[in-house]
Amino acid sequence: MLLLQFSTSHYCRKARLALGYKKIAYRVENLTPGAHALKLKPLTGLTTLPVLLPEVEGAPAAIGDSTQILKFLEGYCPDPPLSLSDHRQQTEALMLEDWLDESIGTATRFVYYDFRAGAGKQIDPSLFSQLVIGVVRRQYAIKPASVQRATDRLAGAMEELSSRWQNSPYLVGDQLSVADIAAAALLSPLALIPQYRQDYPWLFERISQIHQICGEPLPPGL
């Protein structure tokens, strides 16, 4: 299979974790921000990544959106499962995944790119890196007020996740689910921010464990 991605995208990391967990062989093609739209539009009608090209008989030619990719992979390769056998628990896991996708993943983006433009600029001060960061900040209107809202949202998320992950290796049930994959991917950029590493060591311990289970290299900072 072929995964079209931005190498630094935490949503693309989510797809890679699922592919690794399922032990599905794949390769990646890293696209250039901006120019990527020219390749994606004919495939999915969208301009967002990741996009998976399964390249297997009977499968769609292209699948956009990380949630849809995970759904496809679960049907294509049910073992090892990411679905929970208990219906109530599965519903809860899907709700957590949606919350992480739509709210917490975007909050992470705001906080991370604000950090990279300020205190974290030395991580990669190259002109290209700073240009990309500037493009992202303008695209998503990342400003002090929106960063503060994102910071508050992450603080609430940490309370919710800590009540689960500090008492169990899994967010829901007794096995890895889409909720764990989503959390491990979408919160991973925070590993480069010292304050989060200091305040939430349990989070990054679990993120590391899930990456190891999925055979995915650890994110920067870990």
Side-chain angles (χ1 to χ4, degrees):
M1 297 188 182
L2 175 63
L3 182 69
L4 305 179
Q5 67 165 17
F6 294 142
S7 61
T8 58
S9 165
H10 51 334
Y11 287 91
C12 296
R13 180 177 293 275
K14 180 184 167 191
R16 295 198 307 271
L17 286 174
L19 284 160
Y21 180 67
K22 296 286 188 181
K23 294 181 172 55
I24 296 173
Y26 72 98
R27 60 199 191 282
V28 300
E29 181 178 338
N30 293 317
L31 303 186
T32 302
H36 73 287
L38 298 174
K39 186 172 185 110
L40 298 188
K41 269 283 189 179
L43 293 173
T44 65
L46 305 173
T47 59
T48 55
L49 289 168
V51 169
L52 182 69
L53 309 182
E55 299 179 339
V56 295
E57 187 176 351
I63 304 165
D65 184 80
S66 62
T67 296
Q68 295 305 313
I69 289 172
L70 266 62
K71 190 177 297 184
F72 165 76
L73 294 177
E74 185 68 4
Y76 174 76
C77 181
D79 188 38
L82 281 173
S83 297
L84 303 174
S85 57
D86 181 277
H87 177 71
R88 182 190 61 80
Q89 291 181 342
Q90 175 64 6
T91 300
E92 185 178 358
L94 291 173
M95 289 177 64
L96 278 173
E97 182 198 16
D98 185 64
W99 169 65
L100 288 158
D101 273 351
E102 301 301 326
S103 179
I104 305 311
T106 57
T108 298
R109 178 188 288 132
F110 275 58
V111 170
Y112 173 75
Y113 279 102
D114 182 68
F115 171 75
R116 287 294 308 276
K121 186 175 182 179
Q122 75 282 356
I123 292 172
D124 184 354
S126 69
L127 178 61
F128 178 76
S129 175
Q130 293 306 307
L131 283 173
V132 170
I133 290 169
V135 167
V136 172
R137 285 170 60 82
R138 287 191 297 274
Q139 179 181 355
Y140 293 102
I142 299 176
K143 299 176 180 178
S146 58
V147 171
Q148 185 58 56
R149 288 194 296 271
T151 302
D152 294 343
R153 214 185 308 162
L154 283 175
M158 295 306 172
E159 290 185 15
E160 173 64 27
L161 295 176
S162 69
S163 68
R164 296 169 180 270
W165 258 351
Q166 291 201 83
N167 297 316
S168 168
Y170 309 109
L171 289 176
V172 183
D174 57 2
Q175 68 174 64
L176 203 73
S177 73
V178 293
D180 297 292
I181 294 288
L186 300 182
L187 292 166
S188 64
L190 300 178
L192 280 171
I193 304 178
Q195 191 63 52
Y196 282 92
R197 289 288 303 278
Q198 177 181 321
D199 292 348
Y200 306 107
W202 56 266
L203 172 68
F204 301 103
E205 179 181 348
R206 190 60 189 136
I207 287 175
S208 296
Q209 290 169 347
I210 291 172
H211 277 71
Q212 290 162 1
I213 290 171
C214 296
E216 173 71 13
L218 296 179
L222 296 181

